[in-house]
Amino acid sequence: MKILDKYIVINYIMGLLPVLFLLLALFSFVALADELEEVGNGTFSQIDAFLVLLYTSPRRIVDLMPVSALLGGLMGLGAMANHQELIAARAAGMSKARMARPLLEAVLMAAALVVFMQTLLIPASERAASELRSKALEETSFGSGGQLEFWTRSGENFVHVSDVLLNRILENIEIYNTDSEGKLRQLVQAQRATIVGNETWLLEGVVETRLDGLAASETLLPVMEWQGLLSEEQANILILPTEALAPHDLVRYIQHLEANDLDTHHFRVIFWQQLSVALTVIAMGLLSLPMLVGSTRAVSASQRIIMGGIIGIVFYLLQQVTGHFAELFRLKPSITILTPVLVLLAVAVIAQFWRGFRMGSGAGA
């Protein structure tokens, strides 16, 4: 049986990889068109556009992995079904539940890959993409140290940031505010800055220095709101989007917001959406086997692929809808987002033991 287990795992992986690469190529082509529109802005070049496409690929792979897990199973295991190998395994006394064991091992590897990419690869690659995109901002320059240090200009403010914590919190900020003649009139130094609204930032540990001729006055403030620290375009490029944060960084960021009595609901929704991806990969992968066993004579390979694609797309849309519902109606994210995934996983597990489960009608298992 161990030989057959390895054969099932290999066939599943050989079905998963082509589907994943094909979908990745299609979605990357659309993303490349968006990146090429920035060519010519600042020093952003065509090579930079292709590098950004490469750096943002891990995030697209994670987004595509659930539907690829289902279609890959239908492709790889479907080849076994078309050659009557699944029927031969059943005739040899291998139940659907026993067949699901090597399949579970394969989808667990895919889920582990998703977790690895979410935790380590995506934050690093998205940061590299952000630094490349910053070339499109003519008034932004990065330091040469190990930290993410940069200078930028927003309106009449010259902003210096020493580092970015958790990919969203600015650390050791200096804001040089000038008048219409370019003379310094205010210097604001803060230990941290957190974005709390549309171009609204909360500064912590503030030292405000106002200049009036040769006189200077200094004020110490625990917190201060500041409008337009970074423009919307600068924030989109220099600060990672919430979806690109690692789960543990999201937890720490939520704790930081709670410590400052700020709303955390949006970030909790993103956190549970991230956790749901790995479970969805497992559920989708397991669902592919009962869709094949006993259906090869009733349903063609193309019909299985079409049905698998429909299931994948519908479930993806359902996940997006539940996420928006959880955010709009302030529902508990863990229950709202995980319920459809757990239901799908339950259906996939039960189907391994239910002899009557089949895609179409006619052939018996």
Side-chain angles (χ1 to χ4, degrees), residues 119-139:
T119 305
L120 298 175
L121 189 56
I122 291 179
S125 63
E126 289 286 337
R127 172 54 60 201
S130 294
E131 292 185 19
L132 281 174
R133 289 193 185 104
S134 68
K135 292 184 176 181
L137 300 176
E138 298 180 358
E139 297 175 331

Side-chain angles (χ1 to χ4, degrees), residues 22 24 31-32 35 106 125 178-179 228 234 264 278 342:
L22 176 60
L24 179 62
L32 178 61
E35 297 299 336
S125 63
T178 61
D179 57 22
Q234 290 169 329
T264 64
L342 294 177

Side-chain angles (χ1 to χ4, degrees), residues 96-122:
K96 283 194 294 183
R98 179 61 184 82
M99 286 184 192
R101 185 185 300 177
L103 179 60
L104 177 60
E105 294 175 359
V107 296
L108 284 177
M109 287 189 290
L113 177 63
V114 166
V115 174
F116 167 77
M117 297 177 76
Q118 288 177 328
T119 305
L120 298 175
L121 189 56
I122 291 179

Side-chain angles (χ1 to χ4, degrees), residues 312-365:
I313 292 172
V314 169
F315 193 79
Y316 173 80
L317 294 176
L318 178 61
Q319 284 186 302
Q320 297 301 308
V321 168
T322 55
H324 289 305
F325 267 47
E327 190 159 352
L328 290 174
F329 298 104
R330 312 292 295 183
L331 303 176
K332 191 171 183 179
S334 56
I335 296 177
T336 308
I337 293 172
L338 290 184
T339 296
V341 181
L342 294 177
V343 170
L344 180 67
L345 182 60
V347 170
V349 172
I350 293 172
Q352 311 303 326
F353 302 93
W354 183 24
R355 297 194 175 195
F357 184 95
R358 63 191 60 186
M359 207 182 71
S361 58

Side-chain angles (χ1 to χ4, degrees), residues 179-299:
D179 57 22
S180 58
E181 297 179 354
K183 296 180 180 179
L184 182 65
R185 62 184 179 187
Q186 182 186 21
L187 169 62
V188 176
Q189 298 169 291
Q191 295 176 355
R192 287 184 177 181
T194 304
I195 187 167
V196 295
N198 186 20
E199 298 191 16
T200 301
W201 294 76
L202 181 69
L203 308 182
E204 303 174 52
V206 180
V207 179
E208 180 185 17
T209 304
R210 291 186 177 272
L211 303 177
D212 186 8
L214 298 178
S217 60
E218 187 175 277
T219 306
L220 302 180
L221 298 170
V223 293
M224 172 193 286
E225 281 195 2
W226 189 275
Q227 297 290 330
L229 177 63
L230 299 177
S231 68
E232 183 177 357
E233 181 184 19
Q234 290 169 329
N236 289 340
I237 289 179
L238 300 176
I239 306 299
L240 288 191
T242 313
E243 294 80 5
L245 296 180
H248 61 274
D249 282 341
L250 262 175
V251 171
R252 292 166 60 193
Y253 188 61
I254 289 171
Q255 292 172 344
H256 170 76
L257 294 178
E258 288 178 338
N260 290 278
D261 296 323
L262 299 173
D263 183 34
T264 64
H265 189 73
H266 169 70
F267 302 99
R268 291 180 182 276
V269 170
I270 300 299
F271 173 75
W272 286 105
Q273 284 180 324
Q274 286 189 351
L275 292 188
S276 70
V277 175
L279 287 175
T280 305
V281 170
I282 296 173
M284 287 288 195
L286 290 178
L287 190 62
S288 61
L289 182 60
M291 291 178 66
L292 288 167
V293 176
S295 68
T296 54
R297 294 193 299 270
V299 182

